[in-house]
Amino acid sequence: MVTIGVYGFGGGSFLERLRHADVRLLLDVRQRRGVRGPEYAWANSRRLQVALAEARIAYEHHPELAPTTELRRLQYAEDGRQGVGKRSRRELAAAYTRRYTAEILDRADLAPIVAALAGGGSAALLCVERDPDACHRSLIARRLIERHHVAIEHLLPL
């Protein structure tokens, strides 16, 4: 399994990284499936799903793994305190990590995701942040490693 963010990629380079990693299933773990800025219009849900279908990559939205608006606001407050933006964040706030784990991850059933991995090829967890350590997808990945012994690779823009 791999994880991938939107920031730093163009639509073509994003699909190329997925193809190179033999991704056959993209698991979108965003709450809001849009990305601001014209350079990332390709990552908005409908456009992304069309491009994935053309590339023969299946798509699933997993809103149960997305942080709530309240949790995102908690992270944004810490970003503001540190003077970093969402696109330049390098790590998650400790309070955010604790609450996301307790409120979302501990309640989530990851077995269907693990079962989907048996179908051949790889699956990718998708969110927006470039750096996996700045994104909740790293928390999901860590849980998959710890409890399901899934090997994880984080794909970054070249």
Side-chain angles (χ1 to χ4, degrees):
M1 175 171 249
V2 301
T3 79
I4 192 166
V6 169
Y7 295 147
F9 284 103
S13 63
F14 179 84
L15 290 173
E16 184 56 35
R17 286 293 273 150
L18 293 178
R19 277 190 218 99
H20 188 263
D22 195 26
V23 170
R24 306 216 183 136
L25 172 63
L26 186 119
L27 306 164
D28 191 338
V29 296
R30 300 176 291 173
Q31 180 190 42
R32 296 181 347 213
R33 295 179 290 162
V35 184
R36 290 190 176 155
E39 72 271 30
Y40 295 114
W42 61 267
N44 292 326
S45 178
R46 290 178 200 248
R47 289 180 184 165
L48 178 60
Q49 288 181 62
V50 167
L52 290 168
E54 290 172 358
R56 295 193 174 121
I57 298 172
Y59 173 91
E60 292 179 6
H61 182 220
H62 284 270
E64 75 280 7
L65 294 173
T68 62
T69 300
E70 181 183 348
L71 282 172
R72 285 196 332 274
R73 286 182 182 146
L74 175 69
Q75 180 62 55
Y76 297 156
E78 180 63 17
D79 292 345
R81 192 183 72 67
Q82 292 185 10
V84 298
K86 182 178 182 180
R87 295 184 190 194
S88 59
R89 177 187 320 133
R90 295 283 179 223
E91 64 184 7
L92 293 169
Y96 173 93
T97 298
R98 278 192 305 278
R99 286 194 52 195
Y100 176 82
T101 300
E103 296 172 21
I104 307 291
L105 203 49
D106 286 347
R107 298 175 184 179
D109 179 8
L110 298 179
I113 290 174
V114 174
L117 299 176
S122 187
L125 291 171
L126 167 75
C127 199
V128 295
E129 288 82 2
R130 180 189 189 284
D131 187 340
D133 290 332
C135 180
H136 74 287
R137 72 182 187 270
S138 68
L139 303 176
I140 301 166
R142 188 174 311 130
R143 177 64 55 94
L144 288 167
I145 292 167
E146 291 169 353
R147 297 205 176 159
H148 300 278
H149 310 289
V150 173
I152 303 284
E153 177 185 358
H154 299 290
L155 303 181
L156 299 171
L158 299 177

